[in-house]
Amino acid sequence: MPFLGQDWRSPGQSWIKTDDGWKRSSDETNNNVAQLSSLCDEEEYNKENLLKNVSYEVTAKKRKKDLMNINTKIQCFHQDKWIYVHKGSTKERHGYCTLGEAFNRLDFSSAIQDTRKFNYVVRLLELIAKSQLTSLSGIAQKNYMNILEKVVQKVLEDQQHIRLIKEVLHSLYTSLCALVQGVGKSVLVGNINIWVYRMEAILHWQQQLNNIHISRPTSKGITLTDLPLCLQLGIMQRLSDGRDIVSLGQVAPSLQVLSEDRLLWKKLCHYHFTERQIRKRLILSEKGHLDWKKMYFKLGRCYPKKEQYADTLLFCRHCHILCWKDVQHPCTANNPEGSCTFISPLDFISLFRF
């Protein structure tokens, strides 16, 4: 049975083992007095220093934390480049998978360096900017801004997909302006100063994109207008965005004529929209023909356009794992390739809506 002193708060008495048995230490009282006096002196000294340094330490700690949150550019990487998507608790797993967790686990930083995955990631960034910012955790929001900065730097270096990135930044800035006004309702995770800093960064990126000047190549060679008209028209038919066709038609008078081809816009309308949608938005020209160009832009304002990507995320229906096509996930199905389906950016968002 353990020995208890008279006061249960005391450390107890000191005993020494001798030949005659256990005896209490003779200098116990002196030791206790010395210990108490040293503790009292140390406590008074600590109180004085605490009162002097408490405000300084709190302020310095807060500044250091805010500076680290703003200037940190490192994404939270994980060894596994796939994620198990579960919406309920099971015997093996508890809780559910969130959009922020998926954004942290999947390797989007490396995906933007791949030309086949670039448009997919940018479209996903745009959808998150429009409606899912409040669904991201603090680290996921930081990763989102870091990836977006890498996308902007890649566009500035390659001078490609400029309009696409401008639209993403515009959507993000518009959403942040609406969310910052409701900061009293705690709609954003993190300090408001961090979000103001991020909004300033977005404005800086937009200014950099507006200052891009694409120079013509100095080497003389075959240009698009030097090709036969049938090849020029064939190139235009490969464009899936009508705005690209309009921009291309502004380069040269010959391309302007080809950009007004009725068959070109008809194929574009049938590619993006269904027959039922087209019949509801018929527009006739002055000559009595169907104006397919006007119909395309009108249909685009009423219905979502068809999206096609060179490479997308895959979702395994057997093991409920989400990953990129080139990532090997631990699937136990007999035919892993047959159990995987392609996930569009909109489907990716829908996976985490509960």
Side-chain angles (χ1 to χ4, degrees):
M1 182 175 180
F3 171 78
L4 298 177
Q6 296 179 357
D7 190 353
W8 62 271
R9 294 170 297 180
S10 67
Q13 299 175 351
S14 299
W15 293 74
I16 300 176
K17 186 177 182 180
T18 62
D19 296 338
D20 299 333
W22 288 90
K23 294 183 179 180
R24 190 168 56 181
S25 177
S26 60
D27 56 346
E28 175 189 357
T29 305
N30 296 331
N31 291 337
N32 291 339
V33 172
Q35 184 178 5
L36 289 175
S37 61
S38 62
L39 289 176
C40 293
D41 295 339
E42 184 178 358
E43 184 177 0
E44 292 180 358
Y45 177 77
N46 291 336
K47 284 183 179 180
E48 293 179 359
N49 291 339
L50 181 62
L51 293 176
K52 293 180 180 179
N53 300 329
V54 62
S55 59
Y56 173 77
E57 292 179 357
V58 172
T59 305
K61 183 178 180 181
K62 185 177 183 302
R63 289 180 179 177
K64 182 178 179 181
K65 182 178 180 181
D66 292 344
L67 185 63
M68 182 175 59
N69 290 336
I70 293 175
N71 296 332
T72 301
K73 303 296 182 182
I74 303 175
Q75 185 187 4
C76 180
F77 290 105
H78 294 264
Q79 183 177 2
D80 298 328
K81 304 303 180 182
W82 50 267
I83 186 169
Y84 178 81
V85 181
H86 54 102
K87 297 184 178 181
S89 299
T90 60
K91 294 182 179 179
E92 295 79 12
R93 296 179 181 269
H94 295 280
Y96 56 90
C97 180
T98 62
L99 177 62
E101 184 180 357
F103 196 83
N104 292 335
R105 293 287 297 274
L106 300 174
D107 192 8
F108 289 107
S109 294
S110 301
I112 61 177
Q113 304 300 330
D114 191 345
T115 306
R116 298 171 57 87
K117 301 176 182 178
F118 182 83
N119 290 342
Y120 184 91
V121 176
V122 172
R123 175 58 177 167
L124 185 58
L125 294 176
E126 183 179 8
L127 292 176
I128 293 177
K130 288 182 177 179
S131 60
Q132 301 297 322
L133 278 178
T134 56
S135 301
L136 300 180
S137 61
I139 187 63
Q141 291 175 357
K142 186 185 299 183
N143 291 342
Y144 178 90
M145 297 301 299
N146 293 341
I147 293 174
L148 184 59
E149 182 179 4
K150 293 180 181 179
V151 170
V152 174
Q153 295 300 327
K154 178 177 176 58
V155 172
L156 292 175
E157 295 175 0
D158 301 341
Q159 295 185 348
Q160 298 179 3
H161 309 287
I162 299 176
R163 186 184 68 239
L164 186 63
I165 305 305
K166 284 184 178 180
E167 294 176 354
V168 175
L169 294 179
H170 177 72
S171 301
L172 178 59
Y173 190 81
T174 304
S175 299
L176 287 179
C177 289
L179 293 175
V180 167
Q181 294 177 357
V183 69
K185 300 178 182 179
S186 302
V187 294
L188 285 175
V189 178
N191 194 331
I192 185 63
N193 296 326
I194 298 178
W195 284 106
V196 172
Y197 173 84
R198 291 171 178 173
M199 294 177 67
E200 293 176 353
I202 294 172
L203 293 177
H204 178 66
W205 295 338
Q206 289 178 334
Q207 186 65 30
Q208 288 181 318
L209 294 175
N210 292 331
N211 295 335
I212 290 180
H213 178 70
I214 301 177
S215 58
R216 293 180 177 271
T218 56
S219 60
K220 295 183 180 180
I222 298 177
T223 61
L224 180 61
T225 55
D226 297 332
L227 298 175
L229 294 179
C230 60
L231 293 180
Q232 296 181 24
L233 185 60
I235 292 175
M236 285 189 175
Q237 291 177 353
R238 299 302 190 276
L239 300 177
S240 59
D241 195 337
R243 294 172 297 178
D244 294 334
I245 298 177
V246 174
S247 301
L248 186 58
Q250 298 174 354
V251 175
S254 59
L255 297 176
Q256 173 66 27
V257 177
L258 293 178
S259 64
E260 299 294 334
D261 184 71
R262 293 181 62 252
L263 182 60
L264 174 65
W265 291 100
K266 180 180 179 180
K267 291 183 178 180
L268 196 61
C269 288
H270 284 284
Y271 173 77
H272 286 285
F273 310 105
T274 62
E275 291 289 345
R276 183 178 180 181
Q277 295 172 346
I278 293 174
R279 287 196 299 267
K280 290 183 178 181
R281 306 292 175 180
L282 295 179
I283 299 177
L284 297 178
S285 62
E286 297 178 355
K287 298 181 180 180
H289 302 292
L290 292 176
D291 195 337
W292 291 101
K293 182 178 180 180
K294 291 184 178 179
M295 289 173 56
Y296 169 79
F297 289 104
K298 186 175 182 179
L299 289 168
R301 292 190 296 268
C302 300
Y303 307 104
K305 298 178 183 178
K306 181 180 179 181
E307 297 180 1
Q308 186 175 4
Y309 304 97
D311 195 358
T312 64
L313 289 170
L314 295 179
F315 180 72
C316 182
R317 298 187 303 270
H318 178 76
C319 53
H320 299 278
I321 285 180
L322 188 66
C323 63
W324 291 103
K325 185 178 180 180
D326 54 353
V327 175
Q328 298 291 335
H329 70 278
C331 185
T332 58
N334 296 329
N335 185 15
E337 296 181 357
S339 59
C340 294
T341 57
F342 294 99
I343 299 296
S344 65
L346 189 59
D347 296 335
F348 178 85
I349 301 295
S350 301
L351 281 177
F352 305 98
R353 289 178 179 173
F354 307 113

